[in-house]
Amino acid sequence: MEFSELIRTGRAQAQLLRGPEAPPLRGTLCVTGHHLLLSPGPQSTPDLWLLLLRSVDSIEKRVAGDSGTIILRCKDLRVLQLEIEGVEATLDIARSIEALSSLESVITSFPFFYRPKGLRLGDAWHFLPPERYYKRVARETDAWRLSEVNEDFSLCPSYPRAVIVPRAVDDDALARSARFRQGGRFPVLSYHHAPSGTVLLRSSQPLTGPQKRRCAEDEELLRAVLAGARPGARGFILDTRSAQAAKQARMTGGGTEAKAAYPHWKRLHRPLERGRPLQESFVRLVEACGDPEQSMDRWLSRLEGCRWLAHVKEALSTACLVAQAMEREGACILVHGAEGTDSTLLVTSLAQLILDPMSRTMAGFQELIEREWIQAGHPFQLRCAHSAFSHARPKHEAPTFLLFLDCVWQLGRQFPLSLEFGEGLLLALFEHAYASPFGTFLCNSEKERCLCEVRTRTHSLWSGLNQPKEQRKLRNPLYVLNPLAIWPSVEPQSLRLWQGLFLRWTHPPEPAEVAWEKVWQIVTGREETEGSQPTASA
Amino acid sequence: EQHTDTPRTVENVRLVDRVSPKKAALGTLYLTATHVIFVENTPDTRKETWILHSQISTIEKQATTVTGCPLLIRCKNFQIIQLIIPQERDCHDVYISLIRLARPVKYEELYCFSFNPMLDKEEREQGWMLIDLSEEYKRMGLPNNYWQLSDVNRDYRVCDSYPTELYVPKSATAHIIVGSSKFRSRRRFPALSYYYKENHASICRSSQPLSGFSARCLEDEQMLQVIRKANPGSDFIYVVDTRPKLNAMANRAAGKGYENEDNYSNIKFQFIGIENIHVMRNSLQKMLEVCELKSPSMSDFLWGLENSGWLRHIKAIMDAGIFIAKAVAEEGASVLVHCSDGWDRTAQVCSVASLLLDPHYRTLRGFMVLIEKDWISFGHKFNHRYGNLDGDPKEISPVIDQFIECVWQLMEQFPCAFEFNERFLIHIQHHIYSCQFGNFLCNSQKERRELKIQERTYSLWAHLWKNRADYLNPLFRADHSQTQGSLHLPTTPCNFTYKFWSGMYNRFEKGMQPRQSVTDYLMAVKEETQQLEEELEALVERLEKIQKVQLNDTKVKSKQSEPSRHSGFSTSDNSTANTPQDYSGNMKSFPSRSPSQGDEDSALILTQDNLKSSDPDLSANSDQESGVEDLSCRSPSGGEHAPSEDSGKDRDSDEAVFLTA
């Protein structure tokens, strides 16, 4: 397919309005295969304005007289307005953007063409989290092994090639357990908490079905987990669905672990919102935040009606419960919901941030996302196909990853010195998960990424972010290693709307930026000169 | 009665942990002339909780249970203490004594008259001179061709709730002023609050006119004219009535009301609806009920907060301040502000507007001046509003609390614009109620002079100034264009910027606050940087000397301190680590603790206090010790900790060792 077939018009004269704070830009507008370009001419700054078409979430067009208006609502929640000369040109450009922004093919997407200066293909792809993480686990305990039973993705299409499993369980047993779990997602190690000798596992629901089927190998696997942990260890299975929903899942072949079959494991239900209701919550919140007519009288109830902060509270408290059970009760934990690719990952990754100081470093956090989200098979392509502005009926979209980032932001607010990265990194991750020139968040699983040769043909976001010039934006200058668990408060008084994300484009960010600049100055010991541009110190 | 003489002691009292009520510390309760003190029995810590009688807002005796008789004490600084006293009779006695002690009838009973920070007479006098309003008017550029100091209120002859020193337009004759005062509630005639020297516009304040349905007063009309003429840059003045229109109209029936635009030439009249003290009192009450909810859901909290209306009221006050600041700075027009009596809403609005206009008020000293000017000198009724002496409960209202919150909301929006930090605001709020210093006593300057406050008590401003290092905002950027001149608020009104202030209203529940303090960390870094620089300078100087003298022995010994940046902070920050709260909710299947772990587990958070121990937080400031006589056991830091913080402490420090080892 040629992009040129989709481009209806070459260029037009247009004016771009970028919200109340930025001055409008006038110039020549032009659509290319992946970008919308506006070139205001050589004298102006910036001399070129560029928008990745993939980041357009919805498009609205109006024509009046001999000109037209296009409103682009972007996946990063920005709203842009283009005033275009010529009715035909307006309609053509709108159609071109519509067609190009919704292309589904992965291998024709921009990351496959993006060749930034200073980066080499394949640079940061070398770190393979399960293998790398296994090295750390192996130093702490010998109860676990790295299995390559999923080498060809045949056992579990959404798992990576290598997974960490109890040493006492062989690959055949894993294969049987996989057949007993939805999508083949048998229980694997997510995190080993060395101080307490306990582990965090994740999987999908067992396929007990209406007949209450059992699987000896699956039971054996969980028995082996406890045997490999500290003596007398108990386990909790944390189901991210309500007890009723878990029971109902039996009708469709799923279900939950029977008490009798897993004697030392106790089941807990902590229902977390997922799927469409979560997406709707996101949409409502963004709508509320963008409503200028909102009166103070109703703002708080509207915020309440969005339910977003309630989801943040639920996610954080569930993760805290998991972390608490491990660290304080010395219990092993298995987390799953139905598919084990969404709220399961939310809980396991947050629990690690609470417990593991390593995961709170810049490198550790990137590794956590790579291991617990990307390689663990969170279907980014499906979940992030649209953001909050799309008029299309949501199919598989859900902002689970955004919810995770919001929870991390809340942790950072309560422990401002304990995360090595700042809000800037979280904002960047949000942006790139929804639309990115890098390949990191492409596809839904390792298997798909292998088929598309993402690793060899696109650049990794991590090498993009880890360039020295980005550090001042992404790092937290206040960071001091905190070797302890960080237990957040989940009381409503302690949780706040993430202004930096939800109000990023409607609220002037300058005061916060001035403060950030000052923090850097104090920490790097270069104070008292306004407007000076201290260089990044990575 | 005897309680003021001998401290009363009750043994085996339990102090209930507000968060996990099953946990309670056993100890002894002392009632002294000024404080309620609870001392834990635990021999190694003997932790203390001190509550000033003047902080007590309500005391509630609850139904007796098998364990004893519970007593709930709510404080004006938002601390809540629950005690269980074994004997019903003792509980009743304590209850009766506290009711009496918490509601003194004479000023002499207040803490400031017994509080003695061991300063000599001279130091005390200097303390009172720290904030000088005549200096402040000079700073504004007064007197000048248009404004002069008037002695019309000498000996409080015209208005007993106004100060003696007031600025009025030069052309306002005594005749005009006195005439105008007779046409204003409580004779509070228009007087200068703030003068904006950049464009000669001013903010004046008064009470409502006694206009009724048709009354007029020539002198009052002249008064407004001379105010207008004192600003050559504008041909009109705004008259801002901060009440809701309906309230103002209702006042007309009582012979009061508002200015008729037809009678006053060249005024633009404007209502800005801020509700009255009764609405505000109820609103705070409702919000505090929300804060007191046990593990509320997000919906409970947000609904409750909205229904309280609190943030809506805060926004109304801010909007009024913004309106006035814009009129002055952008339109160059003078503004006359009033409400009914002109001592509550008017004080709020004038001080918010001044704070927006003038960066001086955003400094530590300037903020004290602002409160001294708009609140203390202009007769804000501190005694009535904050219930220092036993009085009409309907007079009580969180008027200055709202102003303090407005400042905090601005600090949140402009992190670099203020020289002081949140702690400064919290401590001022505390001392408005504590009666430890004389500044906020009484209802007017006249009363304070009669009581000889300055000779008999100490000034809070001197105390805060002495400890100013604790109150500095490391992010303050006096040099930045954004923080110079007037603060520019976003043009579109934005509700999202008004947030619940948990640092104030839940401040004794440390677990809900951010567990690490950016302010303290940055101050420590700054201090260390400065020390190193000084050291370097000294060394360079020394080196130069040495080279000059050309000594052979050039050995320069550096002082002990190692220039490794930020070392030594990590440990202190780690001490802020916490223990988990009970995340399991009331889920039965999850045991809240394992037998081996004792009962520390379900304690909420329990952070160590990461604030500096000099924090007069506020019930056990070391200064206060001297106010209490008969106690052998006291550690100044003890009372800082809310009861809920007690238990996790030792465990945490063990843990830190374990994990870092």
Side-chain angles (χ1 to χ4, degrees):
Chain A
M1 178 202 56
E2 285 291 323
F3 295 124
S4 55
E5 292 167 18
L6 300 169
I7 302 172
R8 299 291 196 96
T9 189
R11 55 193 58 212
Q13 288 303 308
Q15 167 158 291
L16 170 71
L17 306 171
R18 296 173 290 174
E21 302 303 322
L25 281 180
R26 275 197 76 79
T28 311
L29 188 71
C30 169
V31 184
T32 72
H34 295 290
H35 289 96
L36 187 64
L37 275 73
L38 186 83
S39 101
Q43 304 89 344
S44 358
T45 44
D47 61 351
L48 183 67
W49 175 88
L50 205 73
L51 177 76
L52 191 61
L53 288 173
R54 180 88 200 138
S55 64
V56 174
D57 203 29
S58 83
I59 172 166
E60 185 188 321
K61 51 183 185 286
R62 280 197 305 264
V63 289
D66 55 358
S67 68
T69 301
I70 294 180
I71 294 174
L72 299 175
R73 294 192 168 77
C74 301
K75 289 174 181 168
D76 62 4
L77 311 182
R78 219 174 347 164
V79 179
L80 302 165
Q81 190 173 333
L82 288 162
E83 308 285 356
I84 299 168
E85 289 172 19
V87 172
E88 271 313 295
T90 304
L91 296 177
D92 283 344
I93 285 173
R95 277 187 219 116
S96 312
I97 296 174
E98 254 161 20
L100 289 162
S101 62
S102 56
L103 288 179
E104 293 199 351
S105 153
V106 173
I107 52 165
T108 58
S109 67
F110 185 60
F112 286 83
F113 301 87
Y114 181 52
R115 295 295 174 262
K117 274 186 211 136
L119 296 184
R120 282 204 329 254
L121 275 180
D123 255 3
W125 291 114
H126 60 271
F127 78 116
L128 303 165
E131 288 85 340
R132 191 182 154 106
Y133 183 61
Y134 177 69
K135 282 188 189 149
R136 181 175 154 193
V137 174
R139 282 198 300 272
E140 296 164 349
T141 165
D142 63 353
W144 295 82
R145 70 188 180 90
L146 193 69
S147 165
E148 295 194 346
V149 65
N150 200 39
E151 175 68 41
D152 55 358
F153 305 108
S154 60
L155 216 52
C156 173
S158 63
Y159 271 172
R161 292 179 195 275
V163 287
I164 307 171
V165 296
R167 187 169 296 284
V169 178
D170 64 21
D171 284 357
D172 286 346
L174 294 178
R176 290 215 176 77
S177 169
R179 281 198 286 279
F180 182 62
R181 296 273 172 179
Q182 181 172 1
R185 294 175 71 92
F186 52 94
V188 296
L189 182 88
S190 165
Y191 172 59
H192 177 245
H193 185 244
S196 66
T198 58
V199 291
L200 178 59
L201 307 164
R202 52 180 162 75
S203 71
S204 60
Q205 65 178 341
L207 301 174
T208 48
Q211 294 88 25
K212 300 192 180 173
R213 285 197 316 131
R214 292 176 58 168
C215 168
E217 290 79 5
D218 193 75
E219 292 164 19
E220 176 52 36
L221 197 161
L222 289 192
R223 229 186 340 266
V225 168
L226 294 186
R230 57 173 204 154
R234 296 164 308 145
F236 288 103
I237 296 171
L238 191 128
D239 196 321
T240 62
R241 302 164 294 178
S242 67
Q244 200 193 358
K247 211 168 175 183
Q248 270 169 0
R250 286 218 298 265
M251 295 308 152
T252 51
T256 185
E257 292 81 357
K259 268 181 204 152
Y262 302 85
H264 295 286
W265 291 82
K266 202 169 214 169
R267 225 171 53 224
L268 297 175
H269 291 277
R270 270 302 177 106
L272 295 181
E273 201 59 90
R274 64 195 78 218
R276 190 173 295 171
L278 191 61
Q279 177 72 11
E280 281 163 4
S281 168
F282 176 38
V283 170
R284 279 200 303 271
L285 178 61
V286 170
E287 221 174 75
C289 289
D291 184 353
E293 301 301 306
Q294 184 71 59
S295 80
M296 192 68 216
D297 287 359
R298 287 189 48 250
W299 161 244
L300 290 167
S301 53
R302 188 148 176 204
L303 185 61
E304 190 278 326
C306 299
R307 309 276 311 140
W308 181 262
L309 283 173
H311 300 323
V312 169
K313 178 168 156 57
E314 284 312 309
L316 264 180
S317 32
T318 306
C320 288
L321 178 66
V322 165
Q324 189 182 17
M326 291 174 73
E327 205 224 21
R328 303 271 148 159
E329 316 289 333
C332 295
I333 310 278
L334 167 64
V335 184
H336 70 69
E339 292 160 314
T341 53
D342 293 282
S343 44
T344 303
L345 306 180
L346 178 65
V347 173
T348 59
S349 53
L350 283 174
Q352 291 180 55
L353 274 166
I354 291 165
L355 290 176
D356 182 12
M358 275 298 293
S359 68
R360 296 180 226 134
T361 63
M362 191 72 164
F365 185 63
Q366 294 178 5
E367 203 181 304
L368 181 77
I369 288 172
E370 183 76 34
R371 180 163 53 83
E372 286 296 286
W373 287 89
I374 297 169
Q375 306 228 10
H378 178 66
F380 278 98
Q381 199 185 334
L382 292 173
R383 297 291 180 258
C384 302
H386 282 291
S387 172
F389 290 125
S390 170
H391 303 299
R393 202 174 154 73
K395 287 183 294 230
H396 303 288
E397 289 83 357
T400 320
F401 186 62
L402 172 61
L403 185 58
F404 164 72
L405 296 176
D406 196 333
C407 292
V408 178
W409 180 82
Q410 307 282 353
L411 282 173
R413 205 184 81 77
Q414 294 191 29
F415 295 90
L417 314 183
S418 295
L419 304 182
E420 197 183 9
F421 45 91
E423 184 180 34
L425 178 68
L426 302 177
L427 293 174
L429 290 172
F430 165 67
E431 258 174 57
H432 286 283
Y434 278 87
S436 173
F438 295 98
T440 296
F441 290 110
L442 288 178
C443 303
N444 294 305
S445 65
E446 270 308 283
K447 183 182 177 183
E448 288 180 22
R449 276 185 284 272
C450 283
L451 286 172
C452 298
E453 300 172 89
V454 167
R455 283 172 188 240
T456 49
R457 296 177 55 197
T458 74
H459 284 283
S460 155
L461 173 65
W462 309 129
S463 47
L465 292 181
N466 291 333
Q467 295 176 89
K469 62 173 181 181
E470 303 287 339
Q471 299 312 301
R472 205 175 170 94
K473 226 167 49 201
L474 307 177
R475 271 179 198 270
N476 174 13
L478 302 169
Y479 175 69
V480 175
L481 174 73
N482 176 353
L484 303 177
I486 52 173
W487 301 107
S489 160
V490 296
E491 299 300 324
Q493 288 96 317
S494 309
L495 303 175
R496 269 203 194 167
L497 176 68
W498 184 6
Q499 278 201 6
L501 187 122
F502 293 105
L503 303 173
R504 186 175 178 190
W505 308 105
T506 48
H507 203 69
E510 289 87 8
E513 281 166 9
V514 172
W516 191 244
E517 213 177 281
K518 178 79 180 182
V519 169
W520 271 102
Q521 286 177 6
I522 294 171
V523 174
T524 54
R526 298 166 200 219
E527 276 203 68
E528 320 306 348
T529 37
E530 180 179 1
S532 71
Q533 296 287 319
T535 48
S537 67
Chain B
E1 284 180 31
Q2 88 287 34
H3 42 246
T4 42
D5 307 315
T6 50
R8 203 193 142 75
T9 307
V10 187
E11 307 267 349
N12 295 320
V13 173
R14 269 186 305 254
L15 179 67
V16 179
D17 186 321
R18 294 255 316 132
V19 180
S20 33
K22 277 178 203 153
K23 288 183 13 179
L26 197 65
T28 306
L29 187 72
Y30 301 89
L31 298 191
T32 73
T34 52
H35 288 81
V36 182
I37 305 158
F38 178 83
V39 183
E40 272 183 37
N41 284 354
T42 330
D44 46 339
T45 55
R46 294 195 54 88
K47 200 171 195 25
E48 297 168 18
T49 304
W50 293 46
I51 309 284
L52 260 170
H53 297 327
S54 51
Q55 286 290 359
I56 295 175
S57 166
T58 63
I59 313 154
E60 202 180 302
K61 218 172 107 194
Q62 296 170 317
T64 311
T65 64
V66 280
T67 51
C69 189
L71 201 62
L72 190 68
I73 303 174
R74 288 193 181 84
C75 297
K76 295 167 180 172
N77 60 3
F78 313 114
Q79 187 168 19
I80 300 174
I81 297 281
Q82 193 179 3
L83 300 167
I84 297 178
I85 298 172
Q87 298 297 319
E88 161 97 55
R89 202 172 47 85
D90 286 335
C91 183
H92 187 71
D93 282 355
V94 170
Y95 175 72
I96 295 296
S97 302
L98 280 181
I99 282 195
R100 169 68 189 83
L101 288 166
R103 288 171 203 165
V105 290
K106 290 199 308 275
Y107 281 119
E108 283 72 14
E109 292 176 53
L110 294 175
Y111 185 34
C112 55
F113 290 98
S114 58
F115 170 66
N116 179 6
M118 305 297 178
L119 297 176
D120 58 35
K121 185 161 166 279
E122 202 178 322
E123 285 171 303
R124 174 163 70 193
E125 281 167 4
Q126 275 174 354
W128 280 111
M129 289 190 300
L130 179 73
I131 298 302
D132 179 357
L133 286 187
S134 43
E135 281 298 313
E136 170 57 14
Y137 287 110
K138 261 184 219 152
R139 190 194 64 86
M140 288 183 201
L142 302 179
N144 64 8
N145 284 337
Y146 302 104
W147 293 87
Q148 67 181 6
L149 183 66
S150 165
D151 65 349
V152 72
N153 202 35
R154 188 168 6 108
D155 301 326
Y156 308 102
R157 282 183 306 196
V158 177
C159 173
D160 61 0
S161 61
Y162 264 7
T164 49
E165 303 206 335
L166 282 165
Y167 274 84
V168 293
K170 247 187 174 166
S171 42
T173 60
H175 173 73
I176 293 179
I177 295 173
V178 172
S180 165
S181 78
K182 287 180 182 156
F183 191 62
R184 295 271 166 185
S185 277
R186 299 177 195 274
R187 301 192 146 216
R188 293 171 66 92
F189 57 88
L192 183 87
S193 163
Y194 179 68
Y195 179 74
Y196 191 61
K197 60 180 171 226
E198 278 79 352
N199 63 8
H200 306 296
S202 65
I203 302 175
C204 293
R205 55 184 290 175
S206 70
S207 60
Q208 64 186 338
L210 304 176
S211 51
F213 290 103
S214 59
R216 291 181 63 165
C217 168
L218 187 63
E219 291 84 356
D220 194 60
E221 290 163 23
Q222 285 172 336
M223 187 73 193
L224 268 62
Q225 286 309 308
V226 298
I227 290 174
R228 177 175 66 79
K229 286 180 182 147
N231 174 13
S234 175
D235 52 12
F236 70 94
I237 63 168
Y238 279 108
V239 175
V240 171
D241 189 329
T242 57
R243 296 168 294 182
K245 189 172 182 182
L246 203 66
N247 301 16
M249 285 173 67
N251 264 300
R252 288 167 71 182
K256 300 165 189 170
Y258 52 92
E259 290 80 356
N260 184 340
E261 266 179 304
D262 299 335
N263 300 342
Y264 294 82
S265 49
N266 303 314
I267 67 164
K268 290 192 182 176
F269 186 85
Q270 179 84 34
F271 282 113
I272 297 185
I274 301 174
E275 300 290 348
N276 63 27
I277 56 167
H278 311 293
V279 174
M280 299 308 191
R281 178 177 57 244
N282 292 334
S283 173
L284 177 66
Q285 183 55 37
K286 280 189 193 160
M287 183 174 72
L288 292 179
E289 280 163 20
V290 175
C291 295
E292 258 189 72
L293 291 175
K294 294 256 162 72
S295 9
S297 71
M298 194 50 90
S299 302
D300 296 339
F301 177 72
L302 292 174
W303 272 108
L305 187 58
E306 178 162 291
N307 286 336
S308 78
W310 182 259
L311 288 176
R312 183 161 49 87
H313 299 316
I314 295 293
K315 183 174 185 293
I317 297 165
M318 286 292 301
D319 286 348
I322 293 167
F323 176 86
I324 293 164
K326 280 193 169 151
V328 167
E330 289 168 21
E331 293 185 63
S334 293
V335 185
L336 170 67
V337 186
H338 69 73
C339 45
S340 297
D341 290 318
W343 51 40
D344 293 318
R345 284 168 278 202
T346 300
Q348 290 176 330
V349 166
C350 287
S351 48
V352 167
S354 304
L355 193 78
L356 290 170
L357 285 168
D358 193 334
H360 179 62
Y361 298 127
R362 304 193 288 262
T363 65
L364 210 88
R365 190 193 272 267
F367 190 68
M368 301 186 211
V369 168
L370 185 64
I371 291 182
E372 188 74 33
K373 171 171 74 79
D374 280 334
W375 296 82
I376 298 175
S377 88
F378 268 102
H380 176 63
K381 301 199 294 172
F382 282 93
N383 176 39
H384 286 166
R385 293 294 173 262
Y386 312 115
N388 297 340
L389 292 188
D390 193 22
D392 182 358
K394 287 206 170 62
E395 282 281 324
I396 294 177
S397 187
V399 181
I400 201 167
D401 300 63
Q402 289 183 315
F403 165 64
I404 291 174
E405 173 162 343
C406 286
V407 180
W408 177 80
Q409 300 280 1
L410 281 170
M411 280 165 59
E412 283 284 293
Q413 280 186 64
F414 298 96
C416 302
F418 292 83
E419 190 191 20
F420 48 86
N421 58 30
E422 182 185 22
R423 191 182 298 149
F424 185 57
L425 299 181
I426 290 175
H427 287 188
I428 290 176
Q429 192 273 353
H430 173 90
H431 285 299
I432 284 165
Y433 291 94
S434 77
C435 302
Q436 184 179 340
F437 298 93
N439 307 58
F440 305 116
L441 249 48
C442 306
N443 292 320
S444 66
Q445 193 184 68
K446 182 168 180 255
E447 287 182 31
R448 277 187 296 275
R449 294 217 172 140
E450 282 164 5
L451 210 56
K452 298 193 179 358
I453 290 293
Q454 300 206 354
E455 292 156 44
R456 300 166 70 192
T457 71
Y458 293 85
S459 169
L460 170 66
W461 304 137
H463 173 78
L464 293 176
W465 186 251
K466 196 177 80 196
N467 298 309
R468 60 188 175 277
D470 289 344
Y471 301 123
L472 290 175
N473 169 19
L475 296 178
F476 179 52
R477 299 183 72 165
D479 61 326
H480 199 276
S481 54
Q482 201 182 65
T483 57
Q484 288 170 333
S486 47
L487 280 186
H488 293 288
L489 287 135
T491 40
T492 46
C494 192
N495 305 308
F496 324 113
T497 52
Y498 295 95
K499 297 168 200 152
F500 171 72
W501 188 7
S502 74
M504 176 63 91
Y505 305 106
N506 283 119
R507 76 187 181 94
F508 285 91
E509 303 186 49
K510 290 271 153 62
M512 286 188 191
Q513 313 309 325
R515 243 49 61 76
Q516 297 170 316
S517 162
V518 173
T519 299
D520 290 345
Y521 176 77
L522 288 177
M523 285 313 292
V525 172
K526 277 181 98 156
E527 205 174 297
E528 190 175 299
T529 307
Q530 201 186 336
Q531 266 172 22
L532 291 175
E533 272 164 14
E534 279 165 17
E535 226 162 84
L536 183 70
E537 226 166 80
L539 288 175
V540 168
E541 219 169 82
R542 201 166 149 193
L543 191 67
E544 279 169 359
K545 257 187 218 158
I546 290 164
Q547 283 167 342
K548 242 184 227 165
V549 184
Q550 293 188 325
L551 279 176
N552 292 333
D553 180 10
T554 57
K555 221 192 286 168
V556 181
K557 275 184 191 156
S558 77
K559 279 187 236 158
Q560 65 286 4
S561 93
E562 289 283 303
S564 67
R565 307 203 96 251
H566 312 184
S567 61
F569 296 135
S570 60
T571 44
S572 68
D573 291 311
N574 290 336
S575 71
T576 63
N578 50 4
T579 56
Q581 71 187 86
D582 187 356
Y583 298 108
S584 57
N586 38 19
M587 201 175 337
K588 288 193 187 80
S589 55
F590 188 79
S592 65
R593 60 188 69 121
S594 62
S596 63
Q597 303 232 312
D599 34 351
E600 281 104 332
D601 274 323
S602 47
L604 182 102
I605 311 289
L606 309 182
T607 50
Q608 310 232 353
D609 198 350
N610 56 0
L611 298 179
K612 293 181 182 159
S613 51
S614 63
D615 184 355
D617 209 80
L618 283 147
S619 38
N621 182 353
S622 53
D623 298 341
Q624 292 166 321
E625 285 178 43
S626 39
V628 180
E629 273 141 8
D630 270 330
L631 277 167
S632 52
C633 51
R634 59 173 93 97
S635 70
S637 64
E640 283 173 29
H641 301 281
S644 61
E645 297 172 77
D646 301 0
S647 54
K649 221 172 169 177
D650 295 349
R651 180 187 173 82
D652 282 336
S653 34
D654 289 346
E655 193 166 76
V657 171
F658 167 60
L659 282 173
T660 42

